Amino acid sequence: MCGRLSQYSGIHDFVAALSMPGALINNVGDQPLRRYNAAPTMQLALFHVAGGTLQADPVRWGWRPHWATDRAAPINARIEKVAHGPYFRQIWPHRAICPIDSWFEWIDEGGPKKQPYLIRHRDGSPVLCASIGQLPVPDLGEHDGFVIITADAQGGMVDIHDRRPIALAPDLAQEWLDPATPKERAEQMARHQSEPAKTFEWFRISTAVGNVRNQGAELIQPLASPS
């Protein structure tokens, strides 16, 4: 999974997709988020459960433990390592969902620049990405943040990229968010129950998405088919 995604819907659209009943503590506002070209270190809307209540917070995309100062903060974590390796041990128990509208990948098709593709649900519904993170706490500064968990790509999606975010159906996303869900069950869901490739579609988009300064709905429009 490359380091770019879109999160332009409003938080209530994402809540509706999650289908999670009950109250919401909303710290991201009611307006559409309008992040058509979100990049690492940007603050994105993140769902988690605190005190039994669903909460939405703006959280930095990217996290590293305090002792890891020799590299940039990763934005993704491989499911093959995240549950048992030392790097993410601190935040593995702190599960979250990053709701997105789509994500982008770049493919070498022989041109002067790699060709970007947009990947989204075929029905246009939000994608609920399994994530882990450390929410803002005073005095922790740059160590606040989250990562999206990834797995090997499936089916035709492997032609776009060899990794994909772990996207969960609403009922599984609710189970993922539940603090009472055992860590072993969470790992099982992430490894074996992510949404299949057939639920997604992908198409070529403008190379303008390669510049993070470019924002706007035109970035997510499919390119016309070559004549």
Side-chain angles (χ1 to χ4, degrees):
M1 176 183 177
C2 289
R4 209 68 65 80
L5 56 81
S6 66
Q7 195 184 60
Y8 52 80
S9 296
I11 198 65
H12 297 291
D13 297 314
F14 291 137
V15 171
L18 186 58
S19 299
M20 193 164 179
L24 168 71
I25 298 175
N26 180 8
N27 292 322
V28 300
D30 296 321
Q31 298 302 311
L33 298 173
R34 295 193 177 94
R35 287 200 177 276
Y36 290 93
N37 192 11
T41 75
M42 287 185 177
Q43 287 194 325
L44 301 177
L46 194 72
F47 286 133
H48 65 109
V49 172
T53 302
L54 181 66
Q55 187 163 322
D57 284 297
V59 182
R60 186 201 322 258
W61 185 19
W63 181 89
R64 63 182 179 186
H66 66 88
W67 46 263
T69 58
D70 60 342
R71 58 182 290 191
I75 58 172
N76 302 322
R78 290 174 173 261
I79 185 56
E80 297 88 348
K81 297 180 179 180
V82 67
H84 304 287
Y87 197 92
F88 295 106
R89 181 178 295 132
Q90 178 182 345
I91 60 170
W92 169 241
H94 304 306
R95 297 188 297 270
I97 290 288
C98 181
I100 66 174
D101 291 283
S102 59
W103 77 94
F104 308 117
E105 304 289 0
W106 277 257
I107 308 299
D108 186 353
E109 296 185 336
K113 294 183 178 180
K114 288 187 176 182
Q115 174 61 49
Y117 279 74
L118 179 148
I119 305 172
R120 67 184 182 189
H121 274 154
R122 290 187 182 275
D123 63 4
S125 63
V127 181
L128 304 173
C129 299
S131 306
I132 54 175
Q134 182 172 307
L135 299 178
V137 176
D139 302 325
L140 289 182
E142 64 175 309
H143 303 302
D144 302 343
F146 78 97
V147 295
I148 294 173
I149 301 177
T150 66
D152 286 338
Q154 301 174 330
M157 195 180 292
V158 76
D159 296 332
I160 302 299
H161 202 266
D162 61 348
R163 304 293 297 180
R164 60 183 169 86
I166 291 175
L168 298 175
D171 58 333
L172 293 175
Q174 294 175 30
E175 188 177 358
W176 175 268
L177 286 171
D178 188 347
T181 299
K183 290 184 288 185
E184 295 78 11
R185 168 58 182 155
E187 182 181 1
Q188 179 191 42
M189 284 191 290
R191 283 183 175 273
H192 304 297
Q193 293 182 272
S194 59
E195 293 184 305
K198 66 181 181 181
T199 62
F200 297 92
E201 63 178 1
W202 45 90
F203 49 80
R204 300 164 79 242
I205 56 173
S206 169
T207 55
V209 76
N211 187 334
V212 73
R213 291 191 296 270
N214 294 331
Q215 296 286 338
E218 67 278 2
L219 296 175
I220 63 171
Q221 299 304 312
L223 290 181
S225 300
S227 57

